[in-house]
Structures are given as C-alpha cells and as structure tokens.
Amino acid sequence: HFLELMEELIRNQLNLKERFKIKETLSTEDKATYYSEWIYAATHIAVTVPSLQTAVDIAQFFQLPKSKVASVLKFLSHTGLVSEKTPGRFQIGEARLHVGSDSPLLSRHHTNWRLQAMNSLDLEGEKDLHYTSVVSISQEDILEIKSRFVKEIDRYNSTVKDSKEETLCCLVLDFFSLDKSESKK
C-alpha cells in the first residue's frame, strides 16, 4: 500500500503540468492551431523581446514572409496570447497555456521543436549545444536521472523567468527508453 502511495507521489512530482499549476484559457480548436506549427509559439514568445515586437522585425528574425507572421500575430491577438500595445507593436497577453502529457497535441508540439533542433544542426551556431548519448542503465537510475532533469527544469524556468528578454532560444531535452517491448506491457 505504501509503495503504491510513494509511486503516486513520484508520478505527481514528475508531472510538469501539475508542478507549474497553469490554468489554460484557450479553446481546443485554438490549441490545435497554436500547436500546429512552431511559428505560433515562437512568435508568442518573440514579442517579449523589445526588438521583436513588430511583424517586420519578427519576420526578419525568423526569415519568414511578413504575411505569415502577420497572420500568426492576428491569431495570437484573437486568443489573448499577445496584445497590441500600440498600432503594430505587440506584447505578451493575459492568456496562458501549457500542453500536458495527457494532451493529444503534445506529440505535435515536441515534433515541431525537434524539427527546429534538427534544422539548427545545419547552421552550426557557436552558442548551440547538441548532445546525444545512448547508454545501458539500471531501472533505479532511470528514475534518478529523470528526477534530476525535472529539478533542473525548475532551475531553468527560474533563470528564464528572471532573465532580460534579448533573444529567443529553445531547450529540447529528450531522455527515453529504447525498449519498444515496454509499451506493450
């Protein structure tokens, strides 16, 4: 009985949606649009950077057509994720969202950003970091490492929260089992 309680506590501790306590305000349809392409999340966060608060600046930063960025900003404004503080200048809005591990949109969200990570490999940015490691490991150590990553994500979020908005970066962290037979259990 106590072992089951401990396992439940561990699962809750490792559930990021529960840790962050984010109340979502977007409709299911709006979430589907937001997570359909990386540019929605990227533009959403880009407006926090003072030099990236117009469609022209964002389009130039991402090397995308201004019409695409304008369309994304229109959607983000409609949902309340961004607001227009002065004509043509945007800032972060009041609406919030987090895609939880129980969402069917999670896979698409992760895929969007992993594709961007793969694209960054071609650019060989001096500040970029890419690390891949395939290891054999004990079951006990899997939980230890996952717990460390969750704690580090908390530290990461704290640092990002207090950081001055100057540019955009993306953290993509993957740690997973290669045992395909586990999913059949």
Side-chain angles (χ1 to χ4, degrees), residues 40-170:
Y40 289 96
T43 301
H44 177 204
I45 303 307
V47 301
T48 67
V49 178
S51 63
L52 297 175
Q53 295 181 336
T54 69
V56 170
D57 292 334
I58 295 168
Q60 184 177 359
F61 186 83
F62 292 127
Q63 294 294 289
L64 291 172
K66 182 182 174 249
S67 59
K68 174 66 174 177
V69 173
S71 173
V72 169
L73 284 166
K74 183 177 179 181
F75 168 81
L76 294 172
S77 294
H78 165 76
T79 59
L81 290 167
V82 303
S83 63
E84 211 166 349
K85 64 178 176 182
T86 60
R89 287 195 78 76
F90 296 86
Q91 65 186 12
I92 203 79
E94 296 295 321
R96 297 287 176 259
L97 76 161
H98 172 80
V99 62
S101 59
D102 58 343
S103 173
L105 300 170
L106 182 65
S107 175
R108 183 66 193 168
H109 177 59
H110 287 307
T111 300
N112 288 339
W113 289 107
R114 271 130 188 105
L115 289 171
Q116 292 306 307
M118 290 182 348
N119 290 339
S120 77
L121 290 168
D122 294 334
L123 301 175
E124 299 179 10
E126 187 177 291
K127 295 180 181 177
D128 293 349
L129 172 67
H130 296 280
Y131 179 77
T132 302
S133 172
V134 179
V135 298
S136 59
I137 189 169
S138 73
Q139 294 294 329
E140 182 179 323
D141 287 340
I142 290 172
L143 288 176
E144 169 64 25
I145 289 172
K146 187 173 179 183
S147 178
R148 282 186 201 174
F149 284 150
V150 168
K151 288 176 187 171
E152 192 55 38
I153 290 169
D154 283 340
R155 289 180 54 199
Y156 164 85
N157 284 334
S158 178
T159 300
V160 168
K161 180 182 173 191
D162 296 335
S163 184
K164 183 177 179 184
E165 294 87 356
E166 296 174 342
T167 192
L168 295 182
C169 291
C170 176

